[in-house]
Amino acid sequence: MEENDVSLPRATLTKMVKELLPHDMRCAAECMDMLMDCCTEFIQLLSSEANELAMADQKSTITPEYVTRALQQLGFEEWAEQVKTSHEQFKAEAKRERTR
């Protein structure tokens, strides 16, 4: 990956990986680099697909609905439902926080 390419915060990805691995397992630096590249590539692919869907509807904003449709178009149907559910939970939690 070139210096001017976008990428995810390394600390965030490292934390996620550590939380998912058994406590006695480590992830090599080369593996973290590969995961960073894969995650960045996936997000770019997903956002590009969502953008194309929005443009096809003559919209200039990518909404969560375009992201879930993009996941389906890319063959990640089971993820689309999980993302939709997570987004609904997030919206409900945000609404509760605003009313406090």
Side-chain angles (χ1 to χ4, degrees):
M1 190 171 357
E2 293 185 17
E3 251 183 71
N4 59 353
D5 285 346
V6 293
S7 66
L8 298 171
R10 186 174 191 82
T12 302
L13 186 60
T14 300
K15 182 179 181 220
M16 289 171 58
V17 169
K18 282 184 178 182
E19 288 174 359
L20 293 170
L21 290 176
H23 72 281
D24 61 341
M25 177 77 67
R26 291 182 24 195
C27 187
E30 289 178 1
C31 180
M32 285 304 296
D33 291 342
M34 186 176 79
L35 284 171
M36 289 281 294
D37 290 344
C38 290
C39 290
T40 301
E41 184 67 30
F42 178 75
I43 291 170
Q44 289 174 340
L45 176 67
L46 182 59
S47 60
S48 176
E49 184 70 25
N51 184 54
E52 287 181 24
L53 292 168
M55 288 176 56
D57 286 349
Q58 298 180 339
K59 301 291 182 182
S60 60
T61 302
I62 297 172
T63 62
E65 291 75 21
Y66 288 118
V67 174
T68 54
R69 282 180 47 201
L71 282 167
Q72 292 169 338
Q73 294 253 184
L74 294 169
F76 297 100
E77 294 85 3
E78 67 280 357
W79 287 14
E81 281 306 311
Q82 291 174 356
V83 166
K84 188 175 180 180
T85 300
S86 292
H87 183 253
E88 292 300 322
Q89 290 171 346
F90 172 79
K91 286 192 323 188
E93 181 65 29
K95 186 176 182 179
R96 280 193 297 277
E97 289 293 321
R98 283 192 305 267
T99 59
R100 287 185 182 182

